[in-house]
Amino acid sequence: MRYALRTGWSEDALVDLCTRHGVGRAALDSITVRLPQEGAFALVQEICAASHDDNLGLHLALEANPSWFGILGVLGMNLTNVREALEICNGYIHRRNAEPSKTMFNVDEEGLLHIRLGPEPPEPAWPRHFAETGIAAAFLMLRRFTGTHIKVRWVSLRHAAPADVTEHAALFETNDLRFRAPTTELVLPADVLELAHRSADPALATYMRSQADALAATVGRDDLAGAVRRCLRDGLERGAEPSIGHLARSFKTTSRTLQRRLAEAGVQFAALRDQVRCEWAIALLRHPDARLKDVADRVGFSDVRSLRRALKRRTGRTPSELLRRDHDDAGS
């Protein structure tokens, strides 16, 4: 976003971009807020496309700072060494994800350290620029934190190779670039784990761990409900059936298991679906040319009557009352 502002985007245009992709503009300046993944992907993709820079992902990584990785980035740089940073931050990643997550690093039988970023098959790969920014930023910050000219053995990326990989080879200082690989990862000598951090600050690390603990404690109801809401909204926008069965397939589980997990978190699928439909309906109704039947169809209600009932139940107002209230507020 800072790059976009420097290259001619207006703040209003960026706010509109965020709104279109379901991301709060203010959230981008926070190291604790969790952004919806698809929204983050869309922001990066659209800004990259508008830049006409085929290697913008790499160029962005050159100005990366720890806050790019949120609270864990700031925590990691203040821990004693690379091993401690990877172990502790990996533990928080496991705690903060509602879905099971894989270990982000390991040492293989040949004594090589593999640091992975992003999903592995059968999960879809991250978009190219997003993945290249992340893996390049991780590498550059490792060098910065340790003050060591770390040598890469090879770099794996899940996406296809671009036409020219000269800049990739220059940034990572290796020609061993493996595209269409099963994982996105840096492969380094294992002794990198013992490199000390130049900026280690035990007091600040203790404080940041307390903040990370507080965030990790919110996993459960909010995370699962939020993931379900996002999945429902994404599905509705694509015209998918907003059923528990469809949602369960997206979470790679069964309807019964998802219902049980929601019940354990104290929420009901029907209530979440109703909430998502109504929130989207209210947003659509604000358009001057909105028609009730079109809105009902778009958000998955069988007819206008069902839309009216749902809005009345959730907001205490009918569609016409909501519209009149908006107009009154605008006039005042």
Side-chain angles (χ1 to χ4, degrees):
M1 300 296 276
R2 288 191 293 269
Y3 164 83
L5 284 169
R6 288 202 310 270
T7 55
W9 289 64
S10 68
E11 181 62 33
D12 287 344
L14 289 177
V15 170
D16 178 66
L17 175 66
C18 291
T19 301
R20 285 191 283 110
H21 296 299
V23 176
R25 175 66 179 94
L28 294 169
D29 297 321
S30 170
I31 64 170
T32 59
V33 174
R34 301 183 71 186
L35 300 177
Q37 180 171 273
E38 291 305 316
F41 287 168
L43 295 182
V44 173
Q45 293 290 85
E46 195 163 330
I47 291 172
C48 285
S51 75
H52 305 295
D53 179 352
D54 192 47
N55 285 321
L56 183 59
L58 297 181
H59 299 157
L60 292 176
L62 294 171
E63 55 185 272
N65 62 64
S67 68
W68 280 28
F69 291 89
I71 195 170
L72 296 185
V74 181
L75 169 61
M77 70 177 290
N78 287 289
L79 293 168
T80 304
N81 57 25
V82 174
R83 181 187 296 278
E84 185 182 27
L86 289 176
E87 289 178 347
I88 289 177
C89 291
N90 188 66
Y92 282 115
I93 289 171
H94 278 281
R95 290 172 62 189
R96 291 197 62 192
N97 280 291
E99 295 297 313
S101 58
K102 296 181 175 64
T103 302
M104 65 184 283
F105 75 100
N106 74 289
V107 176
D108 66 20
E109 295 177 352
E110 298 179 8
L112 294 176
L113 170 64
H114 297 248
I115 300 178
R116 290 184 294 279
L117 193 68
E120 299 176 17
E123 295 295 319
W126 282 354
R128 177 195 155 196
H129 292 297
F130 199 97
E132 290 185 358
T133 299
I135 203 72
F139 170 60
L140 294 172
M141 283 195 288
L142 270 177
R143 282 185 166 184
R144 190 186 312 163
F145 292 172
T146 62
T148 303
H149 194 80
I150 297 169
K151 294 292 186 70
V152 174
R153 290 297 183 89
W154 72 81
V155 179
S156 296
L157 295 156
R158 289 187 63 188
H159 53 267
D164 184 352
V165 298
T166 303
E167 288 199 53
H168 297 72
L171 188 149
F172 291 108
E173 296 184 5
T174 180
N175 289 315
D176 196 346
L177 304 167
R178 306 181 183 186
F179 292 91
R180 293 194 182 279
T183 59
T184 293
E185 64 178 4
L186 288 169
V187 181
L188 314 167
D191 57 11
V192 167
L193 287 170
E194 309 312 323
L195 293 175
H197 283 175
R198 295 189 303 173
S199 58
D201 184 331
L204 184 53
T206 298
Y207 172 74
M208 296 309 295
R209 288 195 71 171
S210 71
Q211 299 303 301
D213 284 335
L215 286 174
T218 66
V219 170
R221 172 180 178 143
D222 290 342
D223 276 1
L224 180 58
V228 169
R229 280 194 294 268
R230 289 192 294 273
C231 193
L232 279 169
R233 176 65 182 264
D234 290 345
L236 285 170
E237 289 183 350
R238 295 193 306 268
E241 173 63 31
S243 65
I244 187 69
H246 176 83
L247 198 70
R249 287 191 292 275
S250 298
F251 279 79
K252 293 180 172 55
T253 187
T254 64
S255 301
R256 180 175 296 180
T257 299
L258 183 57
Q259 289 275 31
R260 176 178 55 77
R261 289 183 59 199
L262 286 168
E264 289 171 352
V267 294
Q268 296 181 338
F269 172 74
L272 288 176
R273 181 174 58 185
D274 198 33
Q275 178 184 5
V276 170
R277 284 170 159 173
C278 288
E279 288 173 352
W280 194 17
I282 292 169
L284 293 174
L285 284 169
R286 293 194 173 116
H287 289 277
D289 56 349
R291 297 175 55 200
L292 283 180
K293 185 178 186 310
D294 293 339
V295 171
D297 291 342
R298 184 85 183 275
V299 301
F301 286 106
S302 57
D303 52 38
V304 171
R305 181 180 299 177
S306 299
L307 171 62
R308 284 197 181 100
R309 283 201 300 264
L311 287 172
K312 183 72 173 178
R313 184 168 58 249
R314 178 155 292 278
T315 69
R317 294 178 174 83
T318 64
S320 58
E321 288 171 338
L322 285 167
L323 286 171
R324 185 165 61 250
R325 183 187 180 198
D326 279 348
H327 293 155
D328 291 344
D329 288 345
S332 62

Coordinates of all heavy atoms in Angstrom, one line a residue, residues 13-73:
A13 N -8.6 6.0 -3.6 CA -8.6 4.9 -4.5 C -8.2 3.6 -3.7 O -8.7 2.5 -3.9 CB -7.6 5.1 -5.6
L14 N -7.3 3.8 -2.7 CA -6.9 2.6 -1.9 C -8.0 2.2 -1.0 O -8.2 1.0 -0.8 CB -5.6 2.9 -1.2 CG -4.3 3.1 -2.0 CD1 -3.2 3.5 -1.1 CD2 -4.0 1.8 -2.7
V15 N -8.7 3.1 -0.4 CA -9.8 2.8 0.4 C -10.9 2.0 -0.4 O -11.4 1.0 0.1 CB -10.4 4.0 1.1 CG1 -11.8 3.7 1.7 CG2 -9.5 4.7 2.1
D16 N -11.1 2.5 -1.6 CA -12.1 1.8 -2.5 C -11.6 0.4 -2.8 O -12.4 -0.6 -2.8 CB -12.3 2.6 -3.8 CG -13.2 1.9 -4.7 OD1 -14.4 1.8 -4.4 OD2 -12.8 1.5 -5.8
L17 N -10.3 0.3 -3.1 CA -9.7 -1.1 -3.4 C -9.9 -2.0 -2.2 O -10.3 -3.2 -2.4 CB -8.2 -0.9 -3.7 CG -7.4 -2.2 -3.9 CD1 -7.9 -2.9 -5.2 CD2 -5.9 -1.8 -4.0
C18 N -9.6 -1.5 -1.0 CA -9.8 -2.3 0.2 C -11.2 -2.7 0.4 O -11.5 -3.9 0.7 CB -9.3 -1.6 1.4 SG -7.5 -1.4 1.5
T19 N -12.1 -1.8 0.2 CA -13.6 -2.1 0.4 C -14.0 -3.1 -0.5 O -14.8 -4.0 -0.1 CB -14.4 -0.8 0.2 OG1 -13.9 0.2 1.2 CG2 -15.9 -1.0 0.5
R20 N -13.6 -3.0 -1.8 CA -14.1 -4.0 -2.8 C -13.6 -5.4 -2.4 O -14.2 -6.4 -2.8 CB -13.6 -3.6 -4.2 CG -14.3 -2.5 -4.8 CD -13.9 -2.3 -6.3 NE -12.7 -1.6 -6.4 CZ -11.6 -2.2 -6.9 NH1 -11.6 -3.5 -7.2 NH2 -10.4 -1.6 -7.1
H21 N -12.5 -5.5 -1.7 CA -12.0 -6.9 -1.4 C -12.1 -7.2 0.0 O -11.5 -8.2 0.5 CB -10.5 -6.9 -1.8 CG -10.3 -6.8 -3.3 ND1 -10.8 -7.6 -4.2 CD2 -9.6 -5.8 -4.0 CE1 -10.5 -7.3 -5.4 NE2 -9.8 -6.2 -5.3
G22 N -13.0 -6.5 0.8 CA -13.3 -6.9 2.1 C -12.2 -6.8 3.2 O -12.2 -7.5 4.1
V23 N -11.4 -5.8 2.9 CA -10.3 -5.5 3.9 C -10.4 -4.1 4.4 O -10.6 -3.2 3.7 CB -8.9 -5.6 3.1 CG1 -7.8 -5.3 4.1 CG2 -8.7 -7.0 2.6
G24 N -10.3 -4.0 5.8 CA -10.4 -2.7 6.4 C -9.1 -1.9 6.1 O -8.0 -2.4 6.4
R25 N -9.2 -0.7 5.6 CA -8.0 0.1 5.3 C -7.1 0.3 6.5 O -5.9 0.1 6.5 CB -8.4 1.4 4.7 CG -7.2 2.4 4.4 CD -6.3 1.9 3.4 NE -5.2 2.8 3.1 CZ -4.0 2.7 3.7 NH1 -3.8 1.7 4.6 NH2 -3.0 3.5 3.4
A26 N -7.7 0.6 7.7 CA -6.9 0.8 8.9 C -6.2 -0.4 9.4 O -5.2 -0.4 10.0 CB -7.9 1.3 10.0
A27 N -6.8 -1.6 9.1 CA -6.2 -2.9 9.5 C -4.8 -3.1 8.9 O -4.0 -3.8 9.5 CB -7.1 -4.0 9.2
L28 N -4.6 -2.5 7.8 CA -3.3 -2.7 7.1 C -2.1 -2.0 7.9 O -1.0 -2.4 7.6 CB -3.3 -2.1 5.7 CG -4.3 -2.9 4.8 CD1 -4.5 -2.1 3.5 CD2 -3.8 -4.3 4.5
D29 N -2.4 -1.1 8.8 CA -1.4 -0.4 9.5 C -1.2 -1.1 10.9 O -0.5 -0.5 11.8 CB -1.7 1.0 9.7 CG -1.8 1.8 8.3 OD1 -0.9 1.4 7.5 OD2 -2.6 2.6 8.1
S30 N -1.9 -2.2 11.2 CA -1.8 -2.8 12.5 C -1.0 -4.1 12.4 O -1.1 -4.8 11.4 CB -3.3 -3.2 13.0 OG -3.2 -4.0 14.1
I31 N -0.2 -4.4 13.4 CA 0.5 -5.7 13.4 C -0.2 -6.8 14.2 O 0.3 -7.9 14.3 CB 1.9 -5.5 14.1 CG1 1.8 -5.1 15.6 CG2 2.7 -4.5 13.4 CD1 3.1 -5.1 16.3
T32 N -1.4 -6.5 14.7 CA -2.2 -7.5 15.4 C -3.4 -8.0 14.7 O -3.9 -9.1 14.9 CB -2.6 -7.0 16.8 OG1 -3.4 -5.8 16.6 CG2 -1.4 -6.7 17.6
V33 N -4.0 -7.2 13.7 CA -5.2 -7.5 13.0 C -4.9 -8.6 12.0 O -3.9 -8.6 11.3 CB -5.8 -6.3 12.3 CG1 -7.0 -6.7 11.5 CG2 -6.3 -5.3 13.4
R34 N -5.8 -9.6 11.9 CA -5.6 -10.7 10.9 C -6.5 -10.3 9.7 O -7.7 -10.2 9.8 CB -6.0 -12.0 11.5 CG -5.2 -12.4 12.7 CD -5.6 -13.8 13.3 NE -5.1 -14.8 12.3 CZ -5.4 -16.1 12.5 NH1 -6.2 -16.5 13.5 NH2 -5.0 -17.0 11.6
L35 N -5.8 -10.3 8.6 CA -6.5 -9.9 7.4 C -7.1 -11.2 6.7 O -6.5 -12.2 6.8 CB -5.6 -9.2 6.4 CG -4.9 -7.9 6.8 CD1 -4.0 -7.5 5.7 CD2 -6.0 -6.9 7.1
P36 N -8.3 -11.1 6.0 CA -8.7 -12.2 5.2 C -7.8 -12.5 4.1 O -7.4 -11.6 3.4 CB -10.1 -11.7 4.7 CG -10.0 -10.2 4.8 CD -9.2 -9.9 6.0
Q37 N -7.4 -13.8 4.0 CA -6.3 -14.1 3.0 C -6.7 -13.8 1.6 O -5.8 -13.2 0.9 CB -6.0 -15.6 3.1 CG -5.0 -16.1 2.2 CD -4.6 -17.5 2.4 OE1 -3.7 -17.8 3.3 NE2 -5.2 -18.5 1.7
E38 N -7.9 -14.1 1.2 CA -8.2 -13.8 -0.2 C -8.2 -12.3 -0.5 O -7.8 -11.9 -1.6 CB -9.6 -14.4 -0.5 CG -9.6 -15.9 -0.6 CD -8.6 -16.5 -1.5 OE1 -8.5 -15.9 -2.7 OE2 -7.9 -17.4 -1.2
G39 N -8.6 -11.5 0.5 CA -8.6 -10.1 0.3 C -7.2 -9.5 0.2 O -6.9 -8.7 -0.7
A40 N -6.3 -10.1 1.0 CA -4.9 -9.7 0.9 C -4.3 -10.0 -0.4 O -3.6 -9.3 -1.1 CB -4.0 -10.3 2.0
F41 N -4.6 -11.3 -0.9 CA -4.1 -11.7 -2.2 C -4.6 -10.7 -3.3 O -3.9 -10.3 -4.2 CB -4.7 -13.1 -2.6 CG -4.0 -14.2 -1.8 CD1 -4.6 -15.5 -1.8 CD2 -2.9 -14.0 -1.1 CE1 -4.0 -16.5 -1.2 CE2 -2.3 -15.1 -0.4 CZ -2.9 -16.3 -0.4
A42 N -5.9 -10.4 -3.2 CA -6.5 -9.5 -4.3 C -5.9 -8.1 -4.3 O -5.6 -7.6 -5.4 CB -8.0 -9.4 -4.0
L43 N -5.6 -7.6 -3.1 CA -4.9 -6.3 -3.0 C -3.6 -6.3 -3.7 O -3.3 -5.4 -4.6 CB -4.7 -5.8 -1.6 CG -6.0 -5.6 -0.7 CD1 -5.5 -5.1 0.6 CD2 -6.9 -4.5 -1.4
V44 N -2.8 -7.3 -3.4 CA -1.4 -7.4 -4.0 C -1.5 -7.6 -5.5 O -0.8 -6.9 -6.3 CB -0.6 -8.5 -3.3 CG1 0.7 -8.7 -4.0 CG2 -0.4 -8.2 -1.8
Q45 N -2.4 -8.5 -5.9 CA -2.5 -8.8 -7.3 C -2.9 -7.5 -8.1 O -2.4 -7.3 -9.2 CB -3.5 -9.9 -7.5 CG -3.1 -11.2 -7.0 CD -2.0 -11.9 -7.8 OE1 -0.8 -11.6 -7.5 NE2 -2.3 -12.7 -8.7
E46 N -3.9 -6.8 -7.6 CA -4.4 -5.6 -8.3 C -3.3 -4.5 -8.4 O -3.1 -3.9 -9.4 CB -5.7 -5.1 -7.7 CG -6.4 -4.2 -8.6 CD -7.9 -4.0 -8.2 OE1 -8.5 -4.9 -7.7 OE2 -8.4 -2.9 -8.5
I47 N -2.6 -4.3 -7.3 CA -1.6 -3.2 -7.3 C -0.4 -3.7 -8.2 O 0.1 -2.8 -8.9 CB -1.1 -3.0 -5.9 CG1 -2.2 -2.3 -5.0 CG2 0.1 -2.1 -5.9 CD1 -1.9 -2.1 -3.6
C48 N -0.1 -4.9 -8.2 CA 1.0 -5.4 -9.0 C 0.6 -5.3 -10.5 O 1.4 -4.8 -11.3 CB 1.3 -6.9 -8.7 SG 2.3 -7.1 -7.2
A49 N -0.6 -5.6 -10.8 CA -1.1 -5.5 -12.2 C -1.0 -4.1 -12.7 O -0.6 -3.8 -13.9 CB -2.5 -6.1 -12.4
A50 N -1.4 -3.2 -11.8 CA -1.5 -1.8 -12.2 C -0.1 -1.2 -12.4 O 0.1 -0.2 -13.1 CB -2.3 -1.0 -11.2
S51 N 0.9 -1.8 -11.7 CA 2.3 -1.2 -11.8 C 3.0 -1.6 -13.1 O 4.0 -0.9 -13.4 CB 3.1 -1.8 -10.6 OG 3.5 -3.2 -10.9
H52 N 2.6 -2.6 -13.8 CA 3.3 -3.1 -15.0 C 4.7 -3.5 -14.7 O 5.6 -3.4 -15.6 CB 3.2 -2.0 -16.1 CG 1.8 -1.6 -16.4 ND1 0.8 -2.5 -17.0 CD2 1.2 -0.4 -16.3 CE1 -0.3 -1.8 -17.1 NE2 -0.1 -0.6 -16.7
D53 N 5.0 -3.9 -13.5 CA 6.3 -4.3 -13.1 C 6.2 -5.8 -12.8 O 5.7 -6.3 -11.9 CB 6.8 -3.6 -11.8 CG 8.1 -4.0 -11.3 OD1 8.7 -5.0 -11.9 OD2 8.6 -3.4 -10.3
D54 N 6.8 -6.6 -13.7 CA 6.7 -8.1 -13.7 C 7.4 -8.7 -12.5 O 7.1 -9.8 -12.1 CB 7.2 -8.7 -14.9 CG 6.8 -10.2 -15.0 OD1 5.6 -10.4 -14.8 OD2 7.6 -11.0 -15.3
N55 N 8.3 -7.9 -11.8 CA 9.0 -8.4 -10.7 C 8.7 -7.6 -9.4 O 9.6 -7.4 -8.5 CB 10.5 -8.5 -10.9 CG 10.9 -9.6 -11.8 OD1 10.3 -10.7 -11.7 ND2 11.8 -9.4 -12.7
L56 N 7.5 -7.0 -9.4 CA 7.2 -6.1 -8.2 C 7.3 -6.9 -6.9 O 7.7 -6.3 -5.9 CB 5.8 -5.5 -8.4 CG 5.5 -4.5 -7.3 CD1 6.5 -3.3 -7.2 CD2 4.1 -3.9 -7.5
G57 N 6.9 -8.1 -6.9 CA 7.0 -8.9 -5.6 C 8.4 -8.9 -5.1 O 8.6 -8.7 -3.9
L58 N 9.4 -9.1 -5.9 CA 10.8 -9.0 -5.4 C 11.2 -7.6 -5.0 O 11.9 -7.4 -4.0 CB 11.7 -9.5 -6.5 CG 11.6 -10.9 -7.0 CD1 12.6 -11.2 -8.1 CD2 11.8 -11.9 -5.9
H59 N 10.8 -6.6 -5.8 CA 11.1 -5.2 -5.4 C 10.5 -4.8 -4.1 O 11.1 -4.1 -3.4 CB 10.7 -4.3 -6.6 CG 11.3 -4.7 -7.9 ND1 10.8 -4.3 -9.1 CD2 12.5 -5.3 -8.2 CE1 11.6 -4.8 -10.1 NE2 12.6 -5.4 -9.5
L60 N 9.3 -5.2 -3.8 CA 8.7 -4.9 -2.6 C 9.5 -5.5 -1.4 O 9.6 -4.9 -0.3 CB 7.2 -5.4 -2.5 CG 6.2 -4.7 -3.5 CD1 4.9 -5.3 -3.4 CD2 6.1 -3.2 -3.1
A61 N 10.0 -6.7 -1.6 CA 10.7 -7.4 -0.5 C 11.9 -6.6 -0.1 O 12.4 -6.7 1.0 CB 11.1 -8.8 -1.0
L62 N 12.5 -5.9 -1.0 CA 13.7 -5.1 -0.7 C 13.5 -4.0 0.4 O 14.4 -3.6 1.0 CB 14.3 -4.4 -2.0 CG 14.8 -5.4 -3.0 CD1 15.1 -4.6 -4.3 CD2 16.0 -6.1 -2.6
E63 N 12.2 -3.6 0.6 CA 11.9 -2.6 1.6 C 11.1 -3.2 2.7 O 10.5 -2.5 3.5 CB 11.2 -1.4 1.0 CG 9.9 -1.8 0.2 CD 9.3 -0.6 -0.4 OE1 8.5 0.1 0.2 OE2 9.7 -0.3 -1.6
A64 N 11.2 -4.6 2.9 CA 10.4 -5.2 3.9 C 10.9 -4.9 5.3 O 12.1 -4.6 5.5 CB 10.5 -6.7 3.7
N65 N 10.0 -4.9 6.3 CA 10.4 -4.8 7.7 C 9.7 -5.8 8.5 O 8.7 -6.4 8.0 CB 10.2 -3.3 8.2 CG 8.7 -3.0 8.1 OD1 7.9 -3.6 8.8 ND2 8.4 -2.0 7.3
P66 N 10.1 -6.0 9.8 CA 9.4 -7.1 10.6 C 7.9 -7.0 10.7 O 7.2 -8.0 10.8 CB 10.1 -7.0 11.9 CG 11.5 -6.4 11.6 CD 11.2 -5.4 10.4
S67 N 7.4 -5.8 10.7 CA 6.0 -5.6 10.9 C 5.2 -6.2 9.7 O 4.0 -6.5 9.9 CB 5.6 -4.1 11.0 OG 5.8 -3.4 9.8
W68 N 5.8 -6.5 8.6 CA 5.1 -7.1 7.5 C 4.6 -8.5 7.9 O 3.6 -9.0 7.4 CB 6.1 -7.3 6.3 CG 6.3 -6.1 5.5 CD1 6.1 -4.8 5.8 CD2 6.6 -6.1 4.1 NE1 6.4 -4.0 4.8 CE2 6.7 -4.8 3.7 CE3 6.9 -7.1 3.1 CZ2 7.0 -4.4 2.4 CZ3 7.2 -6.7 1.8 CH2 7.2 -5.4 1.5
F69 N 5.3 -9.1 8.9 CA 4.9 -10.4 9.4 C 4.1 -10.3 10.6 O 4.0 -11.3 11.4 CB 6.2 -11.3 9.6 CG 6.8 -11.7 8.3 CD1 7.8 -10.9 7.7 CD2 6.4 -12.9 7.6 CE1 8.4 -11.3 6.5 CE2 7.0 -13.2 6.4 CZ 8.0 -12.4 5.8
G70 N 3.6 -9.1 10.9 CA 2.7 -8.9 12.0 C 3.5 -9.0 13.3 O 4.7 -8.8 13.4
I71 N 2.8 -9.3 14.4 CA 3.3 -9.3 15.7 C 4.4 -10.3 15.8 O 5.4 -10.2 16.6 CB 2.2 -9.6 16.8 CG1 2.7 -9.2 18.2 CG2 1.7 -11.0 16.7 CD1 1.6 -9.2 19.2
L72 N 4.4 -11.4 15.1 CA 5.4 -12.5 15.1 C 6.7 -12.0 14.5 O 7.8 -12.4 14.9 CB 4.9 -13.7 14.4 CG 3.7 -14.4 15.1 CD1 3.4 -15.7 14.4 CD2 3.9 -14.7 16.6
G73 N 6.6 -11.1 13.5 CA 7.8 -10.6 13.0 C 8.6 -9.7 14.0 O 9.8 -9.8 14.1

